[in-house]
């Protein structure tokens, strides 16, 4: 593992330019040891979704609408502090951001075409239901001994 594995691909040929990513590092809670109080291993990655030129306009509009609850002034923030090393947390945060944007920019699913249940299937279901009812009714003890 040498160097960062950027640029981070969102979808197809669209990727996040390193220049538009804003990194912030702070001390992470969790496991560590003697080194834990001196290293800034928690990573906060910020991406200005509202002002970016990296995404097509249609995608940008779709992402802004879908991520509206997560945005602060058009900026989406992702945190990572699972790993002890800052480098691995940077990787995790960048991959997480790319996945988030890929999901937010995906086209909406095709609308469901309503279909009718064929009459034969419905009749068969009712016939089997009636038969089951007769079977159970035959189990009552009123005609026994």
């Amino acid at each position: 593992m040498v160097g960062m594995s950027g640029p981070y691909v969102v979808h197809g040929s669209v990727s996040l330019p390193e220049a538009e990513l804003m990194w912030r590092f702070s001390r992470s809670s969790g496991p560590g040891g003697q080194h834990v109080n001196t290293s800034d291993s928690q990573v906060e990655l910020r991406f200005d979704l509202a002002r970016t030129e990296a995404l097509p306009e249609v995608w940008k509009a779709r992402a802004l609408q879908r991520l509206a609850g997560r945005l602060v002034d058009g900026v989406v923030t992702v945190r990572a502090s699972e790993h002890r090393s800052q480098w691995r947390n940077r990787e995790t945060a960048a991959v997480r951001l790319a996945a988030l944007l890929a999901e937010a920019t995906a086209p909406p699913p095709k609308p469901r075409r309503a279909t009718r249940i064929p009459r034969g299937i419905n009749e068969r279901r009712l016939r089997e239901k009636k038969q089951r009812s007769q079977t159970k009714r035959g189990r009552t003890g009123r005609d026994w001994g």
Side-chain angles (χ1 to χ4, degrees), residues 11-33:
H11 188 73
S13 62
V14 179
S15 59
L16 302 176
E18 194 68 48
E20 290 189 22
L21 301 178
M22 295 167 280
W23 300 92
R24 234 176 77 198
F25 308 101
S26 57
R27 294 199 182 121
S28 180
S29 62

Side-chain angles (χ1 to χ4, degrees), residues 108-120:
K110 288 181 181 167
R112 183 185 172 276
R113 262 186 33 219
T115 54
R116 276 183 54 230
I117 298 170
R119 192 189 315 156

Side-chain angles (χ1 to χ4, degrees), residues 7-69:
Y8 300 96
V9 177
V10 175
H11 188 73
S13 62
V14 179
S15 59
L16 302 176
E18 194 68 48
E20 290 189 22
L21 301 178
M22 295 167 280
W23 300 92
R24 234 176 77 198
F25 308 101
S26 57
R27 294 199 182 121
S28 180
S29 62
Q34 293 173 327
H35 183 61
V36 76
N37 296 328
T38 58
S39 63
D40 293 340
S41 61
Q42 178 173 293
V43 172
E44 186 178 285
L45 174 57
R46 298 162 56 92
F47 180 68
D48 196 341
L49 188 57
R51 292 187 192 85
T52 186
E53 299 295 317
L55 300 176
E57 281 304 314
V58 181
W59 286 22
K60 197 196 302 192
R62 204 181 288 155
L64 284 168
Q65 181 194 350
R66 288 187 185 163
L67 297 175

